[in-house]
Amino acid sequence: MSTAPASARVVPTTPFADQRPGTSGLRKKVPVFRQPHYLENFVQAVLDVAAPPPGSTLVVGGDGRFLNREAVQVILRLAAANGVARCVVGRGGILSTPAASHLIRLRGAAGGILLSASHNPGGPDGDFGIKYNTANGGPAPEAVTEAIAARTRALTEYRTLDAADLPLDADGTHALGGMTVEVVDPVADYAALMESLFDFGAIRSLVAGGFRLRFDAMHAVTGPYAREILERRLGAPAGTVINGTPLPDFGGGHPDPNLTYAHDLVEEMFGADAPDFGAASDGDGDRNMILGRRFFVTPSDSLAVLAANATRIPGYARGLAGVARSMPTSAAVDRVAQALGLPCFETPTGWKFFGNLLDAGRITLCGEESFGTGSDHVREKDGLWAVLAWLNVLAARGEGVEAIVRAHWARYGRNYYTRYDYEGVAPDAAHGLMAALRARLASLPGTALGRGMEVAAADDFAYHDPVDGSASERQGIRVLFADGSRIVYRLSGTGTEGATLRVYIESYEPDVARQSMDAQEALRPLVSAALSLAEVQARTGRSEPTVIT
Ligand code: VG1
Ligand code: CO
C-alpha cells in the first residue's frame, strides 16, 4: 500500500450554466471539458447531490477515450477531499459501462462515476462525457440529474487534494488522503457474470463445430472484454475480435455499431465468404449490432427474438417477469409479450427509465431501437451480453440468424422499421418544427396523410413511472395509425453540436408473403408522409438525413 502525500484544499470557482445532463449524462466537446474547473465543478455537484454516506465506496472508470486518464485522477482527488472512503477503479481507468454497473452492484457501492461519450467520436476535438450512476448500478433517475444540474449552477467552490497522480496501470491498493483506491481487473468480474448467465459449454461446442463469428470492437472499450470471453473462454480463434485494441481516438472513427460506421464488419458480413455471425459494440460497450450472414437484425427485432427465446438461456430459463422498450422502439416485442402473456412497458428514451421496473422485478428484458439491449443482470444496456445471448440461442436452436428471424416474423408478424437522423440542425429550426407539430396534435386524428393513411391518434408521449409515480412529459410526438403503423418525432439529448432531429417510422406486416421487402422500400410512403407532415425540408433546410438506420 503506497501513501500519496495529500492535503485538502478548497478552490473557489464560478458556476457553469451549461452542465445540464442529457439523455445519458453530461456530454460536451473535449475543449469544453478542458476549461479550468469545468470537470471539477460537475464532479463536486455530483458528490454534493449523491452525498455518499460515511464509509461508502464509489466505482470510477471509463471507456478509455481522450481525457479519460486525467479525468479519473481529478475525480479521485475530489472524492478523497470530500470524504469518500473507497474508490474502486478499473485498471488503466478502464471500465465498460455494463462492467461498471456490475461492479457497483457487486461491491455494494453508493454509486459510480462513468466517463464516456458512448458512440460519439473521441480525441482532442472529439466528445467527452461523464455520468453518475446510483447504488442500483443504473444511470441516475431524472430527479437526481435535475438536482445535479441545479447544483452545478449554484456551486462557488469545490474540494480537492494536492496530491500526485496515482499509478493506475497495475492492480493494487493505494491511499489518497484518507481514502483507499483499489485498482482492479476491469474484465474479470464481468466475465464471471456472463459465465453465470449463459451456457458457455454449448457456445464452445458451436464454435468448435466450425461456426464462424466476428466481433468488431471498433477500437473501443470492448476489445479486452471480447478477447477474454470470445477467444479465451469460448475458444473462438485468435483474430475473431477485430479492432480490439482500445485507442483514445478510436482510430479516428465513430465507435457506433451501425451499418454506416461498423464498416470493417459490414464489409465482411455482406461479402463473399461471410462468417455465420457478426457483432459490434460501441465506445463504452453498452450498444450492440447483430448480423447474420448477409443479414441485418434490427435492434427492435433483436429484443423481440431474445424475449421469445429467453427460456433457452440458463440465466432466464425460469421465464421473464415482463419486458419493456423505449417508446420509439418498434412494437415487435409487444407481440411477443402478448403471445406469452407478459407485462410490457413503454418508457421514454434512455436507459434510466428502465431502472425502477428492473429493481421492482417487474421486467427481466428491455431494449431500445438505438442498438441497446439488456436485462436485470445489470442496470445498463449491455453489448457483449446481447452477443452472448444470441450465441446461446443460436447454439440451442441449431439454426442460423436469418432463419431464426424469418421464423419469428412468420409467427409474430414483421415490424418494418427505420430511423432518420438530421444532425447539426439549427436549434431554433428544430425546436420550431417540434412546436409546430405540437400545435397540430389535436387536429390530426381523422386526417389522412396519404392513401389509406388515416391518423388514429396523436400525442406528445408522457410517462408515469408505475413504480414511483414520477411523471416525465413531452418525451416525443407520436402519430399512430389504425394498422399499427407509427411515426415518432423527437430531439436528441446526446448531441454536442446544434440539435439532432430523429424521425422514427414503423409499419406492421403480418403476411409472410410480404415480409421480404427491403425496409426502406416498404416504408417509403410512410417516410414521405412523415417528412411532409413535419415540413422537415422547409424547416431544417435538409433534403436528406445525415444517417438512416
Ligand atoms: C440516444 C439514443 C437512446 C440512448 C442514448 C444513450 O439518445 O436514442 O436510445 O439511450 O443515446 O446511448 P438521444 O437522446 O440522442 O436520442 V449511449 O450508448 O450513451 O450510452
Ligand atoms: Co454507449
Side-chain angles (χ1 to χ4, degrees), residues 23-284:
T23 312
S24 189
L26 182 68
R27 282 191 195 165
K28 298 285 175 191
K29 293 276 170 213
V30 165
V32 174
F33 266 104
R34 288 175 118 177
Q35 297 172 82
H37 311 308
Y38 192 87
L39 176 63
E40 290 87 343
N41 253 66
F42 189 77
V43 174
Q44 184 65 54
V46 166
L47 292 169
D48 285 350
V49 169
S56 50
T57 296
L58 281 184
V59 168
V60 181
D63 64 7
R65 69 177 59 223
F66 190 86
L67 218 60
N68 191 89
R69 284 181 162 271
E70 296 88 327
V72 168
Q73 301 283 356
V74 166
I75 293 165
L76 292 177
R77 286 195 274 267
L78 263 87
N82 279 275
V84 172
R86 174 179 286 261
C87 275
V88 180
V89 187
R91 194 194 311 124
I94 298 284
L95 282 174
S96 78
T97 291
S101 181
H102 178 51
L103 210 46
I104 292 168
R105 298 162 65 78
L106 189 68
R107 296 302 193 92
I113 298 180
L114 280 55
L115 304 171
S116 172
S118 191
H119 52 288
N120 297 11
D125 301 313
D127 290 353
F128 191 74
I130 176 166
K131 182 169 82 152
Y132 175 64
N133 282 27
T134 48
N136 72 346
E142 270 196 326
V144 176
T145 58
E146 289 300 324
I148 292 171
R151 188 71 191 130
T152 62
R153 293 191 296 269
L155 273 183
T156 55
E157 57 186 39
Y158 60 85
R159 286 180 293 286
T160 185
L161 293 185
D162 287 318
D165 282 358
L166 289 174
L168 300 179
D169 287 318
D171 298 359
T173 302
H174 309 277
L176 182 63
M179 183 174 86
T180 303
V181 175
E182 188 186 340
V183 181
V184 301
D185 180 338
V187 177
D189 291 321
Y190 176 82
L193 174 66
M194 294 301 112
E195 208 154 351
S196 76
L197 295 172
F198 299 108
D199 187 345
F200 271 38
I203 303 173
R204 222 179 280 123
S205 307
L206 180 75
V207 170
F211 180 91
R212 289 166 57 218
L213 65 143
R214 190 70 73 231
F215 180 88
D216 190 347
M218 305 190 80
H219 290 302
V221 79
T222 49
Y225 294 85
R227 282 202 176 122
E228 171 63 26
I229 295 171
L230 302 177
E231 297 184 3
R232 280 192 274 283
R233 300 196 186 198
L234 292 170
T240 294
V241 177
I242 57 171
N243 302 318
T245 304
L247 299 173
D249 67 347
F250 310 117
H254 280 246
D256 195 351
N258 61 33
L259 293 174
T260 307
Y261 293 124
H263 29 73
D264 290 351
L265 178 74
V266 169
E267 211 170 285
E268 194 178 357
M269 294 306 298
F270 287 85
D273 185 31
D276 300 288
F277 178 85
S281 190
D282 72 332
D284 59 330

Side-chain angles (χ1 to χ4, degrees), residues 22-25 27 97 116-120 131 255-257 282-288 326 328-329 348-352 354 367-372 380-381 419 421 490-495 500 502 504:
T23 312
S24 189
R27 282 191 195 165
T97 291
S116 172
S118 191
H119 52 288
N120 297 11
K131 182 169 82 152
D256 195 351
D282 72 332
D284 59 330
D286 58 357
R287 296 189 177 205
N288 74 92
S326 66
T329 303
T349 293
W351 210 260
K352 60 182 167 224
F354 295 131
E368 297 191 273
E369 48 66 41
S370 53
F371 298 86
E380 290 278 4
K381 55 188 183 268
R419 183 176 105 179
D421 293 331
R490 60 178 285 280
L491 299 184
S492 155
T494 59
T500 295
R502 303 202 196 286
Y504 312 76

